[in-house]
Structures are given as C-alpha cells and as structure tokens.
Amino acid sequence: MKNKLTTMKMNKFTTFSVALMASAFTTQAQDINQARKAIDAEQFESSKSILKSIIKAKPSNGAAFFTLGNVYLTQSVEDSAKIYFQEGLNASENAKLNYIGLGQMDLNKNDLTGAQAKFALATKDMRKKDVQEFVYVARAYMNANKPDYKGAIAILTRAAINNSQDAQLQLALGDAYYGDGKQNEAYVAYRSAFQLDNTLLRAKMQLGVLLKGAKSYDEASKAYNEVIAINPNYGPVYRELAETYYKIARNKPSQAAVNYKAALGYYDKYMSLTDYSINSRMRRADFLILIEDYVALEAEANKMIELDKVNPRIYRYLGYAAYKNGNVDVAIKSLESFINAPANKPIALDYLYLGLTKIKKGTSADGLSIDPAAFSAGLTDVKKAIEMEPLAVQDLSEVGKKLFTQKLYNEAAAIFEFGANTKESSNFLDDNVYYGLANYYANTNKGKDVKVDVVALQKADAAFEKVLVASPTYLEAYLYRARTNRLLEKDDAMVKNYEDYVAKTTELGAAELAKPAVKTKFIESYNNMAASFANTDTTKAKEYFKKTLALDPANSYALESLKILK
C-alpha cells in the first residue's frame, strides 16, 4: 500500500510512524492472503502456521481465528475449531465471522435453528455490496456433514443481485451448483469466476472436474494441463489428475495396472506440493484404498504410526490393509480399536471389513467350513454396514461367490441375501441368481430322513422370479424354478416352469436345440413333467416320456416308466 504525504510539514518521526503502520498493515493483509492461498493449495499445515503467527502478532484479527478454525474443521478436528471460533468472537476486527464457523458446527449436529441464529448474527449490519459473509455462510451449508446445496444456492443467488462481479462468490456458486448436480449452471459460474480473477486456479480446475464427472476423461486431462501450464506448482490439480486416471483404470480393466500406476504418480506429486503431515498422509492412505493398493497402504500406515502413535484413524488403515493382506488378527484388533474410539465416526466400510474379517477368521484352513458363531458375529457387523450404506452390498458379491465355489451354500445365501434385496445395487440381478442357486443347492443331496428347508426354497423361487422380471431371456431361471418347486413338491408350479423353459428355448431355433447341454435339460424337463402326471393323467405322462425317447431312445427311466404305465 502506497502512502502519499499531502504536506511536507510533517516531522520525520511522524512520517516514519505512518509508513511503519502502513507497512505493518500491508504485511498483515499479505499474511492472511498467503494463508488463504495455502488453504486453496491444500497446504493445511503451512496455513495453520501462518494463521497462528498472525493471531500471536495481532489477537484482534477475528478473520484469522475464523480461517484457522475452518482449517481444523476441514481436518475434522472439531475441538480445536471450536476453541478458535470462540476466541475469535473476542477480537475487535471481523469477530462476527466466527459465528459462521460455530454455525457450521451446529449444522453438523443437525441444529438448524442454532445455526441460522448464528448466521444472522454474522450477517447483521452488512453493507449492501458486501458478499464475503454470505459466501462463508453458503460454504458452511455446503461443508456441513449433511450438505445443503440448495440452501447455499439460495444464499449466493440473493448475494449476487447486489454484487455479481465477486470472483469468490461465483466460485462458491459453482461449487453449490456442482454439489446439486446442475452441471451447466456450475460451468457458467466457474467460468465467470476465472474471468473475474485469472489467478483463481481452482475455478479453472473445476471446469476439468465437470468434464471428469461427465466421463470425458481425455478432455478433463487437457483442462488440468491448462492449469499446470499456468502454475505447475498448484498441487490440487495433480490430485484431480490422479482421480481421473483412477476413473480411467476402472473403466478400462485391461489397462488398469498402467493407469493405477499413473494415478499414484500424480498423487505423489500432489503430496510433494502440499505437505507430508499426518493429515496429508491420511489423504494419501484414502487414495491407496481407492486404487486398492493394500501393500502400499500397510507401509503408509506404519509410517503414520511413527509420526503419531495415538491417532485412532491410523487403526482404520491398518485394519483395511491387514484384512486385504490376510492378517485377520491385526485387522480385527485394529478395526475394533478404531470403531470403539469415542471421537471416531465409523463408516459402513469399517463395519463391512470387520464383519468379513471375523468370517475369514472363522473359516477352516481347507476353506470347507466356517465356525457358526464366528459367521454369525461377522454377519452382524455386515448388517450394520448395510444399514449405514445400502450400496455396501456391492462389495459382498465376490465374497458370496467364493463361499459358493467352496460349496458353503447356506453361508453364501446369507451373504447374497443382502444384495438380492437391494434393487439399487449394480449387482442386483447377479446376486439374485446366486441367492437362488445357493438356497437351492443347500437343499439338494439331503438324506431321505432330512427335510428340506421350505423357507429357503421359497426364497430361492422368489429370487429366480425376480431374475426373470429383470431379465426374461435368462432361461436358466425357469429351469431352476422348476427344480426348486420339485423339491417343494409343488408339481403344478414345477410343470409350468419346465413348460416355460422348453417353450422359450425352442423359440431360439434349431441351433440352440442341437446343443448337447440343452438336449439334457429337455430330457430332464420331459421326465419330471411325465412323472408328475403318472398318477393323475397317464396320457400326458406317456406323451412326455415319448418326447424324452425322441431325444434319447435308450433313456432307461422313460423306457421303464412306459412299461409300468402300460
């Protein structure tokens, strides 16, 4: 800030004092802007150091307290955030901003009334053209544990009436629209933000994020590289590149290894431009979970222990890695330690992995049996996971299939039942097929004196029916419905299912009928239908046995049965 003297009559001391004050004010402003730039670059530890030094030098700076509290909120350290917000209320400058931070904490506790009262205090007596407080309030709604993007849009839209040329307002509006799923509006807001302030790289980066969300990965990468061309040291853009390559890997399984490697390389570049604090290592650990590199995750978790031996979140990473790497005892101990720590907020995946680890621990060395108590305990945790996040069922399919191949049909059925009852799951059809098969095979090959599980077979029939509703061309479902109803001794339903199988398969033409496996299934169908009519309609019984013999003239069951029917 330049200070022009209007008179030459001021003495040297006065001139020096004014200049010194001006210099101090400029440095102070630059420092908090520097802190905000560090936050935008996701250099959170650096920003905290800057802000603490500002507070120490000038305790009257309420904006510094508010900004520091927000950093702690970002890192989920709510105790520290609350301390700085409350202390900030005592500052003589910008103290009201701290009501916004406390208001977000109320939102996190679902106390909307308390939050709105604090936001009202923060925005009271604002000048007409001011928008900063409204931007912060809108971000509080967006950053709350349960984001309210529509509420944020409403606040920012009203603020834009008085001052639409504020770059930070447009950036926040872009984030609100993006969170609300309004891609076009988000694009316009992000573009406006960057046009208003071409140093606002996050706004330009977010244009790439929109392309990534639309699965235009090549275009997204180009957009990110434009940001790098402006500033190759802008860390967040490398995180976005990492996540983009992760998406590419998921969409191109044949090239997954190469793209995962590229993704991790970009993430490490992001880390090098932020910091290697415990919090940044945790972000990297989250990414390692995303790309399923559990060997690297275990190594990262051990490095974190060296930095912070008491941070409970590290147990989550150790638990995940140990589960995936087959160390069940460490996994159970770590996950239970994490879940039981009062300050932690367990997520569905924590309970899912804990439950699956308990099941794995209870499985015999040869994989052919599972301790019932261990399975039951594991299933309880799995159920908790699904109650928290219904789509967690999508992570169970491979577990169920493994149990199925080990012929642990009852256990497989218990696992597949979750997905079979979740229509939103991408595995809904597949899980119903396996759920039906598991319940069916659990009731085959039972001794004469052992009764079938009627309820389980009814569930199998219902699962196959769901499959046919979702995929009428999956003809095997007709066949398995017939077999299931045969075990249930429901002859009418069995005959109808076999008839449907035969009729719909015949519609596929001669090439399908010529297949040996299809021929075997037709013989099964005809023989079972004939047997069901043997005591009630001998004419129909003979008709079906003759159809068997047309396919297999030497079929002993048909030949012997026809002799008896004569």
Side-chain angles (χ1 to χ4, degrees):
M1 182 178 74
K2 294 181 179 179
N3 186 26
K4 295 183 178 180
L5 298 178
T6 58
T7 175
M8 298 300 294
K9 295 181 179 179
M10 301 175 98
N11 62 45
K12 291 183 180 180
F13 180 79
T14 304
T15 304
F16 177 76
S17 298
V18 171
L20 185 63
M21 288 170 65
S23 175
F25 182 81
T26 302
T27 303
Q28 191 69 38
Q30 287 177 338
D31 281 348
I32 199 159
N33 287 333
Q34 184 184 356
R36 286 168 179 158
K37 286 180 180 178
I39 292 167
D40 179 61
E42 298 176 20
Q43 298 168 345
F44 298 117
E45 297 309 308
S46 174
S47 69
K48 286 194 293 189
S49 295
I50 294 168
L51 290 164
K52 286 176 182 178
S53 69
I54 293 172
I55 289 169
K56 185 177 181 180
K58 191 177 181 184
S60 60
N61 191 325
F65 283 97
F66 168 68
T67 307
L68 182 55
N70 267 331
V71 175
Y72 279 110
L73 267 190
T74 299
Q75 296 181 329
S76 299
V77 187
E78 294 196 355
D79 290 346
S80 295
K82 187 175 182 179
I83 289 169
Y84 282 106
F85 290 143
Q86 289 178 330
E87 289 182 358
L89 291 174
N90 298 318
S92 58
E93 301 170 12
N94 294 311
K96 288 182 179 180
L97 291 177
N98 291 279
Y99 283 121
I100 300 172
L102 292 169
Q104 184 183 328
M105 297 188 76
D106 283 341
L107 290 177
N108 289 344
K109 295 183 289 188
N110 297 316
D111 182 4
L112 180 60
T113 302
Q116 289 177 336
K118 290 181 176 66
F119 295 153
L121 289 171
T123 56
K124 185 181 179 182
D125 301 326
M126 283 178 63
R127 292 178 300 179
K128 190 174 181 180
K129 287 286 185 180
D130 287 348
V131 296
Q132 178 179 251
E133 288 87 342
F134 290 127
V135 170
Y136 289 143
V137 170
R139 289 210 173 276
Y141 278 106
M142 287 189 273
N143 295 333
N145 291 342
K146 293 180 181 178
D148 180 2
Y149 296 109
K150 292 186 187 300
I153 291 169
I155 292 166
L156 294 166
T157 303
R158 287 196 300 270
I161 294 171
N162 293 326
N163 187 352
S164 63
Q165 300 303 300
D166 187 276
Q168 287 293 336
L169 184 147
Q170 291 296 332
L171 175 62
L173 196 53
D175 290 341
Y177 280 129
Y178 176 66
D180 199 37
K182 295 180 178 177
Q183 307 288 75
N184 292 336
E185 291 89 341
Y187 179 86
V188 172
Y190 287 138
R191 184 183 61 190
S192 297
F194 188 69
Q195 288 172 344
L196 289 165
D197 180 359
N198 61 12
T199 68
L200 199 53
L201 293 182
R202 185 166 292 271
K204 187 169 180 60
M205 182 183 77
Q206 287 300 115
L207 296 174
V209 173
L210 291 174
L211 291 166
K212 180 183 71 174
K215 298 184 179 180
S216 299
Y217 301 125
D218 290 340
E219 292 303 312
S221 295
K222 288 178 184 177
Y224 297 142
N225 283 319
E226 289 176 7
V227 175
I228 292 170
I230 298 171
N231 183 358
N233 293 319
Y234 186 64
V237 73
Y238 295 101
R239 174 177 47 73
E240 291 298 341
L241 271 167
E243 292 179 5
T244 299
Y245 274 87
Y246 160 74
K247 295 279 188 182
I248 294 171
R250 296 284 289 183
N251 281 272
K252 295 180 180 179
S254 62
Q255 301 172 30
V258 172
N259 286 311
Y260 277 147
K261 184 177 180 180
L264 190 56
Y266 281 121
Y267 206 90
D268 286 340
K269 176 71 172 177
Y270 162 70
M271 290 282 290
S272 72
L273 292 170
T274 53
D275 51 52
Y276 280 94
S277 66
I278 190 69
N279 283 293
S280 65
R281 286 190 178 278
M282 285 180 178
R283 291 200 299 275
R284 184 174 187 269
D286 288 333
F287 189 74
L288 291 172
I289 292 169
L290 202 63
I291 66 173
E292 300 179 3
D293 190 341
Y294 293 101
V295 173
L297 177 63
E298 191 163 6
E300 188 65 76
N302 285 320
K303 287 177 184 176
M304 285 191 285
I305 288 174
E306 293 175 10
L307 290 172
D308 189 344
K309 294 181 180 180
V310 297
N311 193 310
R313 190 171 161 190
I314 298 171
Y315 288 114
R316 168 183 281 164
Y317 302 124
L318 275 177
Y320 288 10
Y323 163 67
K324 290 291 186 176
N325 296 333
N327 194 343
V328 292
D329 291 326
V330 172
I332 291 172
K333 183 180 179 181
S334 299
L335 288 169
E336 286 183 338
S337 295
F338 175 80
I339 289 169
N340 295 329
N344 287 341
K345 296 177 181 177
I347 60 174
L349 202 59
D350 301 328
Y351 284 107
L352 187 73
Y353 283 172
L354 178 60
L356 294 179
T357 305
K358 288 178 180 178
I359 291 171
K360 188 182 285 188
K361 182 175 173 63
T363 304
S364 63
D366 59 11
L368 301 179
S369 65
I370 300 177
D371 175 66
F375 187 80
S376 178
L379 210 62
T380 298
D381 288 317
V382 169
K383 187 177 180 181
K384 281 182 189 175
I386 293 165
E387 287 171 353
M388 294 174 72
E389 173 49 73
L391 290 182
V393 297
Q394 293 174 171
D395 293 319
L396 292 174
S397 290
E398 292 305 315
V399 176
K401 287 176 184 177
K402 185 174 182 181
L403 293 170
F404 187 87
T405 58
Q406 293 168 318
K407 298 185 179 181
L408 295 169
Y409 297 122
N410 284 316
E411 291 83 356
I415 293 294
F416 281 119
E417 186 170 13
F418 295 113
N421 290 309
T422 307
K423 289 184 179 180
E424 298 78 15
S425 170
S426 60
N427 300 326
F428 178 70
L429 183 62
D430 206 32
D431 286 351
N432 269 288
V433 170
Y434 274 100
Y435 182 50
L437 291 173
N439 277 314
Y440 168 73
Y441 282 116
N443 285 280
T444 59
N445 301 321
K446 288 195 171 185
K448 292 181 180 180
D449 297 329
V450 180
K451 292 183 179 180
V452 295
D453 186 336
V454 173
V455 173
L457 289 170
Q458 288 172 339
K459 289 179 178 179
D461 185 49
F464 293 133
E465 186 176 22
K466 285 183 189 177
V467 171
L468 288 168
V469 169
S471 181
T473 58
Y474 187 73
L475 303 185
E476 291 290 303
Y478 288 110
L479 193 65
Y480 274 99
R481 285 197 78 184
R483 292 169 177 172
T484 300
N485 281 305
R486 179 170 175 264
L487 290 177
L488 286 168
E489 298 180 0
K490 294 171 65 174
D491 283 5
D492 290 348
M494 177 193 74
V495 170
K496 176 68 169 61
N497 298 146
Y498 274 131
E499 284 176 342
D500 286 341
Y501 171 73
V502 170
K504 292 184 180 295
T505 305
T506 301
E507 290 173 3
L508 297 177
E512 184 70 16
L513 297 178
K515 294 177 180 178
V518 172
K519 178 180 173 181
T520 299
K521 291 168 187 174
F522 269 41
I523 290 169
E524 173 195 332
S525 302
Y526 292 142
N527 280 347
N528 279 305
M529 285 191 286
S532 73
F533 287 115
N535 295 322
T536 59
D537 190 336
T538 56
T539 302
K540 274 194 173 182
K542 289 177 182 178
E543 179 186 334
Y544 282 122
F545 279 132
K546 287 176 181 177
K547 287 185 176 184
T548 292
L549 293 173
L551 295 173
D552 180 12
N555 188 275
S556 58
Y557 180 71
L559 289 170
E560 292 299 320
S561 296
L562 280 173
K563 287 179 184 178
I564 295 170
L565 290 173
K566 287 181 180 180

